[in-house]
């Protein structure tokens, strides 16, 4: 390593220095990478196929890709999804074909934030992924079903990574604290236990965030070598736009649960706290829209309209006066009857789709079917909407508000 490399190494962020190099250093994701698990076996046996890693930020997607690059006997190419062009991708695929033909060496193409890749570029990947010319590893924080074109997603295995638990965050932070080669161990820094607990809690599973806060606290030390809770809190006060010592996620959790519990004054208090602390009003508005369906739902379908109007009003009039439509939507949701039947129904349907084979569309409701009869015009017609051997019971109406009429209809009351 020359002087230039040493200078670069010193200026690398702590989170990057502590990136795991093998499975022994990799924390979390035991459901995928524990000993004997399918994905780990595929990696260790150098038998991986194209895959997409989806999950929250800082759960180890990029780190896992780097471990794969070290564990497999393949050429490893990293591409930028945002600026990637069809020409650049074709050049990469052409080189991969050449390496495979001349040297029998596979090429792994890693595409971080693959959801940002244009659809025409995604289409260019299809033949090479299907033929095995390249092994593609995509990483995304977004939903594969919504952001990746279906033909590409269907040719990849999808692995979902989970956010790290608090104890896992603590282990990694302590390793960074004591590691002399890559961490802060050479300086004999101490971290108070309550500061460690706070770091693990407020980072909400984001290890990059926790290590970033630790590094900032470390560089702010003067002569002392002890990182206290007070110092860590000051670090987060800067990051969270003056939310003081309160975690933004906890505020949002309190807000959501107050709306769900029909506690109007409490919900307004948490709304005011978040607005005063600088939380993005559009972020709040999106949560209100979600809970107008999740918690009110069919008991008062107008709640969704109110919530959407509030979101649009905030975008139109800005953050300051936007507090008014937000407050109105919050009061409306709090005072509405509640039902989570729609939330339960779609989750049940998604689970069924995930765990059962795909159902064929019955002939009488296929596009252009000659045997279809509109039930509005032919109320006594007997149409098949799902195969006869499939019994579905996702939607279970609740006896609440507007939905009580549906409840009585379903249960003959």
């Amino acid at each position: 390593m020359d002087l230039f490399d040493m200078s670069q190494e010193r200026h690398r962020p702590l989170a990057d220095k502590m990136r795991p190099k093998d499975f022994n250093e990799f924390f979390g994701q035991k459901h995928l990478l524990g000993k004997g698990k399918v994905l780990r076996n595929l990696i260790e046996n150098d038998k991986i196929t194209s895959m997409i890693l989806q999950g929250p930020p800082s759960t180890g997607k990029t780190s896992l890709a780097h471990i794969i690059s070290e564990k497999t006997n393949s050429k490893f190419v990293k591409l930028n999804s945002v600026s990637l062009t069809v020409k650049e991708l074709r050049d990469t695929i052409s080189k991969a074909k050449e390496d495979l033909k001349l040297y029998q060496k596979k090429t792994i193409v890693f595409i971080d934030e693959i959801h940002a890749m244009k659809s025409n570029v995604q289409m260019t990947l299809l033949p090479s992924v299907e033929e095995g010319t390249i092994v593609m590893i995509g990483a995304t924080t977004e939903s594969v079903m919504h952001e990746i074109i279906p033909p590409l997603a269907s040719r990849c295995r999808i692995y979902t990574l989970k956010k790290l638990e608090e104890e896992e965050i603590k282990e990694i932070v302590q390793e960074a604290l004591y590691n002399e080669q890559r961490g802060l161990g050479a300086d004999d820094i101490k971290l108070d236990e309550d500061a460690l607990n706070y770091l693990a809690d407020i980072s909400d599973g984001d290890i990059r965030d926790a290590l970033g806060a630790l590094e900032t606290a470390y560089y702010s030390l003067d002569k002392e070598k002890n990182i206290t809770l007070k110092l860590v809190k000051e670090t987060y006060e800067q990051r969270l736009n003056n939310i003081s010592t309160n975690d933004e996620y906890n505020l949002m959790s309190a807000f959501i649960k107050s709306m769900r519990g029909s506690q109007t004054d409490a919900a307004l208090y948490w709304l005011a706290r978040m607005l005063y602390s600088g939380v993005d009003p559009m972020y709040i508005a999106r949560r209100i829209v979600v809970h107008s369906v999740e918690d009110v739902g069919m008991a008062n379908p107008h709640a969704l309209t109110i919530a959407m109007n509030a979101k649009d009003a905030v975008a139109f009039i800005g953050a300051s006066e936007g507090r008014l439509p937000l407050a109105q939507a919050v009061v409306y949701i709090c005072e509405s009857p509640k039902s989570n039947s729609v939330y339960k129904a779609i989750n049940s349907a998604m689970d069924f789709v995930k765990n059962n084979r795909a159902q064929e569309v019955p002939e009488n409701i296929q596009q252009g079917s000659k045997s279809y009869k509109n039930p509005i015009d032919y109320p006594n017609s007997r149409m098949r909407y799902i195969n006869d051997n499939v019994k579905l019971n996702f939607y279970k109406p609740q006896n609440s508000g507007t939905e009580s009429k549906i409840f009585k209809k379903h249960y003959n009351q």
Side-chain angles (χ1 to χ4, degrees):
M1 181 182 290
D2 59 26
L3 291 176
F4 179 73
D5 290 332
M6 291 174 64
S7 176
Q8 279 192 318
E9 180 67 18
R10 282 197 301 270
H11 289 91
R12 282 172 61 204
L14 180 61
D16 193 48
K17 291 179 184 177
M18 294 304 299
R19 188 180 297 281
K21 296 182 177 180
D22 54 39
F23 287 127
N24 293 328
E25 296 181 358
F26 197 97
F27 287 84
Q29 317 312 329
K30 293 290 192 294
H31 64 296
L32 297 176
L33 302 172
K35 288 186 178 181
K37 294 296 183 180
V38 171
L39 180 56
R40 179 161 177 170
N41 287 345
L42 289 173
I43 295 169
E44 292 182 332
N45 295 331
D46 198 3
K47 298 293 185 183
I48 66 164
T49 56
S50 292
M51 68 180 75
I52 297 176
L53 307 172
Q54 67 174 6
S58 195
T59 49
K61 299 183 292 295
T62 303
S63 295
L64 179 55
H66 281 285
I67 290 175
I68 291 173
S69 72
E70 296 294 327
K71 287 278 187 183
T72 58
N73 184 29
S74 304
K75 182 178 178 182
F76 191 80
V77 179
K78 184 175 181 179
L79 298 177
N80 186 326
S81 62
V82 177
S83 61
L84 184 61
T85 63
V86 170
K87 181 183 182 306
E88 182 183 358
L89 183 56
R90 283 177 175 162
D91 289 345
T92 301
I93 294 170
S94 177
K95 186 65 171 63
K97 284 182 179 179
E98 184 179 330
D99 289 339
L100 192 61
K101 181 179 180 180
L102 298 179
Y103 310 111
Q104 290 74 53
K105 194 174 187 68
K106 294 185 300 182
T107 297
I108 296 176
V109 176
F110 176 60
I111 307 175
D112 201 4
E113 305 299 341
I114 192 173
H115 59 270
M117 196 164 62
K118 296 176 182 176
S119 58
N120 65 316
V121 184
Q122 291 188 41
M123 287 294 293
T124 306
L125 275 170
L126 285 177
S128 56
V129 169
E130 188 168 35
E131 296 165 3
T133 304
I134 64 170
V135 175
M136 187 205 74
I137 302 177
T140 179
T141 56
E142 306 298 327
S143 167
V144 171
M145 288 187 291
H146 293 122
E147 303 297 337
I148 310 300
I149 60 171
L152 180 58
S154 69
R155 288 160 174 80
C156 300
R157 301 300 300 171
I158 311 298
Y159 298 103
T160 301
L161 283 72
K162 302 174 182 178
K163 71 178 184 179
L164 297 176
E165 301 291 338
E166 287 189 16
E167 288 304 315
E168 293 166 339
I169 294 285
K170 289 180 184 179
E171 288 186 68
I172 301 172
V173 167
Q174 289 174 319
E175 174 61 24
L177 199 65
Y178 300 125
N179 190 305
E180 295 185 5
Q181 283 73 42
R182 291 149 60 195
L184 309 176
D187 288 340
D188 194 27
I189 300 298
K190 306 296 182 188
L191 177 66
D192 289 350
E193 185 176 357
D194 54 358
L196 175 63
N197 292 337
Y198 184 80
L199 262 179
D201 176 49
I202 200 170
S203 60
D204 194 44
D206 189 331
I207 187 56
R208 187 184 298 111
D209 179 55
L211 291 177
L214 176 67
E215 188 173 25
T216 301
Y218 163 70
Y219 283 128
S220 68
L221 291 172
D222 192 7
K223 294 181 180 179
E224 72 278 12
K225 291 192 174 184
N226 189 55
I227 298 176
T228 64
L229 174 61
K230 180 176 182 295
L231 184 57
V232 173
K233 284 183 175 181
E234 288 175 2
T235 300
Y236 273 100
E237 282 178 1
Q238 298 167 6
R239 183 189 72 91
L240 289 176
N241 196 15
N242 296 323
I243 291 189
S244 185
T245 60
N246 292 289
D247 182 3
E248 181 179 343
Y249 292 99
N250 280 335
L251 291 177
M252 182 56 74
S253 176
F255 173 61
I256 290 168
K257 287 166 182 165
S258 296
M259 284 195 296
R260 182 178 295 142
S262 299
Q263 299 299 309
T264 305
D265 289 334
L268 287 171
Y269 170 77
W270 296 118
L271 171 65
R273 276 283 300 278
M274 288 190 290
L275 291 173
Y276 185 79
S277 300
V279 176
D280 182 3
M282 287 302 290
Y283 172 57
I284 299 172
R286 286 192 290 269
R287 299 314 306 169
I288 293 173
V289 170
V290 169
H291 285 273
S292 70
V293 179
E294 182 176 333
D295 294 330
V296 177
M298 292 299 293
N300 184 0
H302 294 297
L304 177 58
T305 302
I306 297 292
M308 288 296 295
N309 287 343
K311 175 188 71 68
D312 293 341
V314 171
F316 180 66
I317 64 181
S320 179
E321 297 303 320
R323 71 188 190 281
L324 299 175
L326 288 179
Q328 179 173 324
V330 168
V331 170
Y332 191 87
I333 288 176
C334 285
E335 297 297 331
S336 290
K338 303 293 190 293
S339 170
N340 59 2
S341 60
V342 170
Y343 173 78
K344 291 179 177 178
I346 187 58
N347 285 349
S348 295
M350 295 291 285
D351 285 342
F352 184 87
V353 170
K354 177 182 177 181
N355 296 311
N356 293 274
R357 66 178 180 83
Q359 297 295 314
E360 297 291 335
V361 178
E363 186 280 329
N364 59 216
I365 59 171
Q366 290 180 12
Q367 176 67 29
S369 171
K370 303 297 184 182
S371 60
Y372 176 70
K373 291 185 180 296
N374 189 324
I376 299 173
D377 299 325
Y378 300 92
N380 296 321
S381 62
R382 296 178 62 84
M383 293 288 100
R384 289 171 58 236
Y385 296 95
I386 195 75
N387 293 315
D388 292 335
N389 61 333
V390 179
K391 304 301 179 185
L392 305 179
N393 187 24
F394 302 138
Y395 177 54
K396 300 174 183 177
Q398 297 175 11
N399 192 15
S400 177
T402 301
E403 197 174 27
S404 61
K405 296 179 181 179
I406 305 174
F407 176 87
K408 291 174 183 176
K409 173 187 170 185
H410 266 242
Y411 299 108
N412 298 318
Q413 293 188 5

